[in-house]
Amino acid sequence: MDQNNNKKPNNQKGNNWRGFIHLICWAVLLAVLVSYATTYMTSMGRQASSVELEYSEFLDMLDFGKVAGVDFDNSESILLITPVDGYVYTDGEGREYTKTTLEDGTSAYTFTNALGQEQHASLELFTVRLQSYDAIVEHIQELNRQSGSHGEGEGIRINQDYQPPMSPILLFLVNLAPFFIIILVMSLVMSWMAKKGMGGIGGIGGVGKSNAKVYMEKSTGVTFKDVAGQDEAKESLTEIIDFLHNPGKYTEIGAKLPKGALLVGPPGTGKTLLAKAVAGEANVPFFSISGSDFVEMFVGVGASRVRDLFKEASKVAPCIVFIDEIDTIGKSRDNRMGGNDEREQTLNQLLAEMDGFDPTKGVILLAATNRPEVLDQALLRPGRFDRRITIDRPNLAGRVATLEVHTRNIRLGEDVNLKKVALATAGCVGADLANLVNEAALRAVRKGRKLVSQEDMLAAFELVIAGTEKKGSVLTEFEKKLVAYHEVGHAMVAYKQKNTEPVQKITIVPHTQGSLGYTLLMPEEDKTELRTREELMAKITVSMGGRAAEEVVMDTMTNGASQDIQDATNVARNMVAMFGMSEEFGMMALASRRNQYLDGGYGMDCAQDTAARMDKAVKALLDEAYKTAVEVIRDNREDMDKVVAYLLEKETITGAEMVAIIEGRDPALVESPYASTRPAEIEAPAKKVHMISEKIVAPEEPVPEAGEKASEKPEEEESRDS
């Protein structure tokens, strides 16, 4: 690989010279063809209406006074003859042409056709010049003196604009001048493009030039302090930074640094930001390029760009090369559906470069993707991307740290509780939190405040999930009452069940996301992705609460529950297909996850008749949850009516206010509107325990009574103690 790279500049110069010579040859050939075509067309046009006379006949015409003018044609060395009016030219067929001058001053020849009609023809008489210009002019002037014609316009007219003809070589160069000018302009343009890094004659338009942008530590301005919520990922990358600072420490013991690290995670988690932070911490050059920049419509361009990128990186090593969205060029090579030669060649060149460069030079390759399942296995094997670092959605502590980073330059009020905001934003990534903080700051400015309050933070969160309020929307009394019972149905089912999140807010104000109202549930503590069957069923039941309230109270159904039904169906289908929570199928996996970090969709891995039976199992779960929701609504009808009446008056209430109404207290006296809404009869979930590596001391064994043999051998005791 190094030998090819060393030869590349000389080859590039040779290609430029060859391209320049080819350009000149084509220009010369084009000039010759144009010149020949021009001469041929001129000659053919002249032959169509010209009549050649013998030179002796021309001299006789001069002597007999039948010539009115003589013009010299220097390009073909001929004489153009203009006869006097009345001159009769007879062609080979005996037809006579009489020279006349028309009213507009043009010359014409009249003849009689076969029908006896008089017609005009345009003829041009010429003869080959056999004497020099001076001899012909002297002869004509002598004839003019003999006839006594001395004034202007009298006698035989002679062309006085005569110029000596050019030499053939000079005439050819004159014809080539425009093409040489074009060649000069094109050469200047190509030279300018080459200096700007856009290629020259050997790479027109820069199709083979890498578009990687080099960032230094001062320009990135990103360090690990700017990345929060990804402590595990930063710990994995710290070793790479230490190697770039102290390579001798690793080479001394014989260790080799991993050639590449693959950053995997959902969109917006900070993969690109983390790569820039690594370059900033290591204080080394940072090459950044997107996977789509390699792929062009020309086959071989992507491979050329890969070679150019690694060549430039090796010159400034140690450095970091970052390829974003590597799945664009790193997809698995599969010819079943037709391959992509350009993408596959680019991938092959990338694999070859990763095998070819010396890891001791300090060229570290980082790549990011949110579709690791589609990557080629050759790209993921040890020796290429040795490490796979997951950049997942941050947990509660990570979201708090992320909010602290994004609010570093935001003026916050004393009432702002970032932990409360972090609890509400479960499942959000770093980009979502950054957008939330910015929306809160914009809302504070709109309200005329100098500080961002907790209300602004929660309002920004609601803006993200539900959109802005539709202040101009008008609902009828029936529609307003229907929406109120629908939302209170969700809240009541969530309040009366175990394994649910507390109610935070209820509103019947329409929003731009399409909802006429919503119920906000907020966890009291952070939860992992681990869910029990009871928790999943409770989630489905809460989703069914709105439709159950419509049927029980209003004795009707609306399309407002469409999103609730879809959410409940997805949870139930996952329980049957992937979680093994159905009685019929048990631990059988009927589907598999396809896009883990994108839409989370899955594909069916079962027969069609099995899928039909799976649908029946899903319906059984939904029916069970809906039955539970209807029972809760019927058992708490009086409390619902009280909450709905208050909600219709206020349009927006908190969960604490709903609890106060149910317990018979005045909702206006609620001190903390965001207090916990968990009923006293429902036990709180178990507190989370932080797992640490501690030695567990075994309990002391009871002393055996006399005469009783020890049940365990010393070897067994020793192994148990160890």
Side-chain angles (χ1 to χ4, degrees):
M1 297 303 290
D2 293 338
Q3 295 177 356
N4 293 335
N5 290 335
N6 292 333
K7 294 179 181 180
K8 186 177 178 181
N10 295 329
N11 293 335
Q12 185 70 25
K13 292 180 180 179
N15 292 334
N16 289 340
W17 276 110
R18 285 195 295 270
F20 188 76
I21 294 173
H22 290 166
L23 197 61
I24 293 178
C25 293
W26 280 108
V28 171
L29 180 61
L30 183 62
V32 172
L33 292 177
V34 172
S35 178
Y36 176 78
T38 304
T39 304
Y40 177 78
M41 295 301 295
T42 303
S43 178
M44 292 297 295
R46 176 172 289 144
Q47 292 177 9
S49 61
S50 299
V51 177
E52 183 180 0
L53 303 178
E54 297 291 339
Y55 190 74
S56 58
E57 187 176 355
F58 164 68
L59 296 178
D60 293 338
M61 292 177 64
L62 288 176
D63 294 338
F64 290 103
K66 297 181 179 181
V67 178
V70 178
D71 295 310
F72 293 83
D73 190 340
N74 300 316
S75 61
E76 298 185 13
S77 298
I78 61 176
L79 300 176
L80 303 178
I81 307 170
T82 304
V84 296
D85 291 344
Y87 171 78
V88 178
Y89 166 73
T90 305
D91 60 8
E93 298 178 355
R95 181 177 293 174
E96 295 181 349
Y97 296 85
T98 305
K99 165 70 169 56
T100 60
T101 302
L102 302 178
E103 295 180 357
D104 56 357
T106 59
S107 298
Y109 290 83
T110 61
F111 67 97
T112 303
N113 59 16
L115 299 177
Q117 298 176 346
E118 189 176 87
Q119 291 184 348
H120 294 287
S122 180
L123 300 179
E124 188 177 58
L125 306 182
F126 73 95
T127 186
V128 178
R129 181 171 61 85
L130 301 180
Q131 292 179 299
S132 66
Y133 170 80
D134 296 333
I136 296 174
V137 171
E138 184 179 355
H139 183 64
I140 294 174
Q141 290 177 350
E142 180 64 24
L143 293 175
N144 289 333
R145 284 194 297 270
Q146 292 178 3
S147 62
S149 302
H150 301 286
E152 185 177 357
E154 298 180 356
I156 302 173
R157 176 184 55 80
I158 306 175
N159 181 15
Q160 299 296 327
D161 298 329
Y162 172 77
Q163 296 291 336
M166 295 183 180
S167 63
I169 297 177
L170 184 60
L171 182 62
F172 180 74
L173 294 177
V174 170
N175 293 330
L176 282 182
F179 299 97
F180 278 111
I181 295 175
I182 295 175
I183 293 173
L184 180 61
V185 172
M186 292 181 63
S187 301
L188 294 176
V189 171
M190 293 297 176
S191 301
W192 177 81
M193 293 173 63
K195 292 180 180 179
K196 294 294 183 180
M198 296 183 291
I201 297 178
I204 299 177
V207 294
K209 185 70 176 177
S210 174
N211 293 326
K213 299 179 181 179
V214 182
Y215 295 91
M216 304 299 292
E217 189 271 338
K218 294 182 179 179
S219 62
T220 59
V222 181
T223 62
F224 278 169
K225 295 181 180 179
D226 302 311
V227 182
Q230 303 295 341
D231 296 336
E232 295 81 3
K234 290 193 291 185
E235 184 178 353
S236 301
L237 294 171
T238 302
E239 190 176 77
I240 296 176
I241 299 173
D242 186 53
F243 178 86
L244 294 174
H245 282 298
N246 306 302
K249 184 171 64 175
Y250 294 87
T251 56
E252 183 179 354
I253 199 173
K256 295 182 179 179
L257 190 71
K259 291 184 178 181
L262 184 63
L263 307 180
V264 179
T269 51
K271 298 183 292 293
T272 304
L273 183 66
L274 190 60
K276 290 184 178 181
V278 173
E281 290 286 341
N283 194 19
V284 296
F286 181 68
F287 290 77
S288 175
I289 190 170
S290 177
S292 60
D293 292 337
F294 290 108
V295 182
E296 295 283 351
M297 64 179 293
F298 305 103
V299 178
V301 174
S304 175
R305 288 182 174 177
V306 171
R307 289 192 297 269
D308 183 71
L309 176 62
F310 280 87
K311 176 186 175 183
E312 296 296 327
S314 61
K315 292 179 180 179
V316 295
C319 63
I320 291 176
V321 177
F322 176 66
I323 302 177
D324 198 7
E325 306 296 342
I326 195 173
D327 53 275
T328 305
I329 59 174
K331 287 183 179 179
S332 179
R333 289 163 290 184
D334 189 3
N335 293 325
R336 291 178 298 177
M337 301 298 293
N340 188 321
D341 293 338
E342 167 62 5
R343 181 174 57 78
E344 292 184 2
Q345 287 192 18
T346 305
L347 175 59
N348 293 334
Q349 187 63 43
L350 178 62
L351 299 176
E353 292 291 342
M354 293 184 69
D355 290 337
F357 72 83
D358 188 2
T360 60
K361 292 182 179 180
V363 179
I364 307 299
L365 180 62
L366 300 179
T369 182
N370 44 41
R371 301 178 64 192
E373 64 276 355
V374 303
L375 295 180
D376 196 280
Q377 293 300 316
L379 195 64
L380 302 176
R381 74 161 177 81
R384 285 163 181 163
F385 283 109
D386 303 273
R387 290 189 177 182
R388 179 169 172 171
I389 302 173
T390 302
I391 316 295
D392 211 342
R393 302 178 187 273
N395 55 12
L396 177 61
R399 293 195 298 274
V400 173
T402 304
L403 288 171
E404 291 176 350
V405 170
H406 292 303
T407 57
R408 188 181 300 165
N409 299 322
I410 303 295
R411 295 183 178 180
L412 301 178
E414 296 181 356
D415 62 333
V416 174
N417 188 350
L418 295 181
K419 184 177 180 181
K420 193 76 173 181
V421 179
L423 283 171
T425 55
C428 293
V429 297
D432 298 329
L433 299 177
N435 183 41
L436 185 147
V437 172
N438 187 61
E439 289 291 344
L442 295 176
R443 186 179 186 274
V445 174
R446 289 196 301 268
K447 297 295 183 179
R449 292 192 292 268
K450 300 294 184 180
L451 301 175
V452 177
S453 63
Q454 182 76 357
E455 181 185 358
D456 295 326
M457 300 292 287
L458 295 178
F461 170 69
E462 296 173 14
L463 176 65
V464 174
I465 64 173
T468 58
E469 296 182 358
K470 288 184 176 181
K471 298 180 180 180
S473 299
V474 179
L475 300 178
T476 63
E477 292 295 330
F478 176 78
E479 292 174 340
K480 194 173 181 181
K481 184 177 180 181
L482 187 63
V483 173
Y485 272 105
H486 182 101
E487 301 301 335
V488 174
H490 288 303
M492 187 62 68
V493 173
Y495 176 71
K496 291 295 183 179
Q497 281 198 119
K498 297 181 179 180
N499 304 309
T500 59
E501 298 174 348
V503 180
Q504 181 70 36
K505 182 179 180 180
I506 309 172
T507 181
I508 57 174
V509 179
H511 288 70
T512 56
Q513 294 291 352
S515 62
L516 298 178
Y518 67 90
T519 301
L520 178 62
L521 306 180
M522 185 180 297
E524 292 180 330
E525 61 179 6
D526 191 34
K527 289 185 65 67
T528 63
E529 295 296 327
L530 184 64
R531 295 289 186 273
T532 64
R533 188 181 189 278
E534 289 75 16
E535 290 177 333
L536 295 175
M537 289 298 298
K539 185 176 182 179
I540 298 175
T541 306
V542 172
S543 299
M544 295 293 186
R547 170 59 64 85
E550 293 177 1
E551 185 177 356
V552 173
V553 180
M554 305 298 295
D555 194 21
T556 186
M557 298 180 185
T558 67
N559 59 353
S562 60
Q563 187 63 42
D564 300 329
I565 296 174
Q566 184 175 350
D567 295 339
T569 303
N570 290 335
V571 175
R573 192 173 297 275
N574 288 336
M575 292 175 63
V576 176
M578 292 189 296
F579 302 160
M581 295 182 179
S582 65
E583 295 181 359
E584 182 177 359
F585 298 101
M587 298 294 292
M588 181 179 180
L590 304 176
S592 58
R593 191 81 61 186
R594 294 290 189 260
N595 298 320
Q596 181 181 359
Y597 300 111
L598 293 178
D599 56 358
Y602 60 87
M604 301 301 298
D605 299 330
C606 60
Q608 293 183 358
D609 56 343
T610 306
R613 292 163 51 199
M614 185 189 71
D615 292 339
K616 295 180 180 179
V618 171
K619 186 177 183 304
L621 293 177
L622 296 176
D623 292 340
E624 180 184 351
Y626 185 73
K627 181 180 179 181
T628 303
V630 171
E631 293 177 354
V632 173
I633 298 299
R634 288 175 177 173
D635 296 340
N636 300 273
R637 174 65 186 278
E638 294 182 1
D639 293 335
M640 284 189 63
D641 294 338
K642 297 177 183 179
V643 176
V644 168
Y646 188 75
L647 179 60
L648 291 173
E649 179 183 355
K650 298 293 185 180
E651 293 187 346
T652 300
I653 64 175
T654 63
E657 291 175 333
M658 182 193 72
V659 174
I661 295 173
I662 296 174
E663 295 178 352
R665 297 182 284 112
D666 187 0
L669 301 178
V670 175
E671 297 181 358
S672 178
Y674 301 105
S676 176
T677 60
R678 190 175 304 277
E681 64 270 14
I682 297 180
E683 59 182 10
K687 296 294 184 182
K688 291 187 179 296
V689 180
H690 182 61
M691 304 298 293
I692 56 176
S693 299
E694 292 181 351
K695 184 177 181 180
I696 301 175
V697 181
E700 296 182 358
E701 294 288 339
V703 179
E705 296 180 358
E708 186 178 356
K709 296 182 179 180
S711 59
E712 299 179 357
K713 297 180 179 179
E715 296 177 359
E716 296 175 344
E717 294 177 356
E718 187 177 357
S719 65
R720 185 173 59 253
D721 293 337
S722 61

